[in-house]
Amino acid sequence: SQQGEEDPQALSIQEGENATMNCSYKTSINNLQWYRQNSGRGLVHLILIRSNEREKHSGRLRVTLDTSKKSSSLLITASRAADTASYFCATDDNQGGKLIFGQGTELSVKP
Amino acid sequence: NAGVTQTPKFQVLKTGQSMTLQCAQDMNHEYMSWYRQDPGMGLRLIHYSVGAGITDQGEVPNGYNVSRSTTEDFPLRLLSAAPSQTSVYFCASSRGDSYNEQFFGPGTRLTVL
């Protein structure tokens, strides 16, 4: 079974609004990563947060991690139409081997 | 650097045929992996390798073989293609291990009739 699961599965917002996506996982991790996938393309790394970090920022992205709840959230502020994509969280097996992806959140930002 | 390259981009097979999906990276990354992506299922890990000569199974390894004879290449072999293997296949690599940023190839879209 998959380690990470995203919520919601789909999200539609207007340009300028904020978008929040959540990820839950099952076992202990070394770090958690977020990726973006534009339609028909490979995945692109967005941000990595380590298990001893609680919050991390990168441009308009803000990621939080709550290891006690085994959950993470990705916030995109002031969204743009170009942010339309699928977003995936990925967690490791804490042994440097497997990196497991969730099912993703499909974000649509309408101009 | 070309990054992670995959060939072919598209492939149609008949049930029972075999083929190899190629993956190469020029970043001297130790870690390489193969995923398949199906609608509504996200990415599922097929096989991975933490270095030349070392491979291990992921979530859905049945029907696939891999080998890692060099650091650069990580081919995925379909032994006897089945319609259930129709999918988009992605190869990824990273320095070190799975803890680090993964670089993805553009994918191979495979259809098995």
Side-chain angles (χ1 to χ4, degrees):
Chain A
S1 61
Q2 289 182 313
Q3 166 80 309
E5 301 205 353
E6 285 94 341
D7 170 62
Q9 289 189 345
L11 180 61
S12 182
I13 59 174
Q14 294 293 130
E15 220 170 16
E17 294 180 339
N18 295 342
T20 299
M21 288 157 269
N22 302 298
C23 170
S24 60
Y25 58 93
K26 297 175 183 174
T27 62
S28 65
I29 60 172
N30 186 269
N31 62 41
L32 186 144
Q33 303 179 43
W34 285 91
Y35 289 79
R36 183 184 73 201
Q37 183 182 34
N38 290 90
S39 181
R41 302 289 189 97
L43 278 73
V44 175
H45 183 264
L46 292 176
I47 197 166
L48 180 154
I49 186 166
R50 303 195 186 285
S51 59
N52 62 355
E53 296 176 311
R54 291 297 165 257
E55 187 170 313
K56 200 162 183 180
H57 296 255
S58 177
R60 293 184 295 112
L61 306 180
R62 173 179 169 251
V63 169
T64 62
L65 179 64
D66 187 335
T67 53
S68 66
K69 294 182 180 178
K70 292 187 170 57
S71 67
S72 173
S73 67
L74 170 67
L75 169 67
I76 304 174
T77 59
S79 63
R80 305 166 181 167
D83 294 328
T84 293
S86 292
Y87 292 81
F88 296 87
C89 70
T91 52
D92 58 79
D93 61 356
N94 211 16
Q95 297 176 30
K98 299 177 184 178
L99 185 68
I100 304 297
F101 284 78
Q103 296 178 336
T105 292
E106 196 172 325
L107 174 66
S108 174
V109 182
K110 301 187 187 311
Chain B
N1 287 348
V4 180
T5 57
Q6 291 184 238
T7 55
K9 284 187 168 45
F10 301 94
Q11 183 70 50
V12 179
L13 293 177
K14 294 181 180 177
T15 297
Q17 287 185 316
S18 63
M19 80 159 294
T20 299
L21 308 185
Q22 301 292 344
C23 173
Q25 51 89 12
D26 60 0
M27 297 173 282
N28 203 31
H29 285 169
E30 295 90 343
Y31 185 88
M32 296 186 74
S33 56
W34 276 102
Y35 291 87
R36 61 176 288 173
Q37 185 174 32
D38 303 294
M41 299 291 290
L43 278 81
R44 291 184 290 170
L45 180 65
I46 305 172
H47 286 286
Y48 66 97
S49 168
V50 297
I54 307 169
T55 64
D56 208 343
Q57 297 181 346
E59 302 171 276
V60 288
N62 291 342
Y64 307 95
N65 271 359
V66 292
S67 60
R68 184 94 181 272
S69 56
T70 66
T71 299
E72 295 78 19
D73 301 297
F74 191 43
L76 178 72
R77 297 184 186 84
L78 279 70
L79 309 173
S80 177
S84 60
Q85 293 179 304
T86 293
S87 188
V88 181
Y89 291 84
F90 289 100
C91 178
S93 75
S94 70
R95 61 176 177 81
D97 51 35
S98 66
Y99 296 160
N100 299 307
E101 173 186 353
Q102 302 293 309
F103 292 82
F104 279 80
T108 293
R109 186 174 295 274
L110 175 68
T111 301
V112 183
L113 303 175

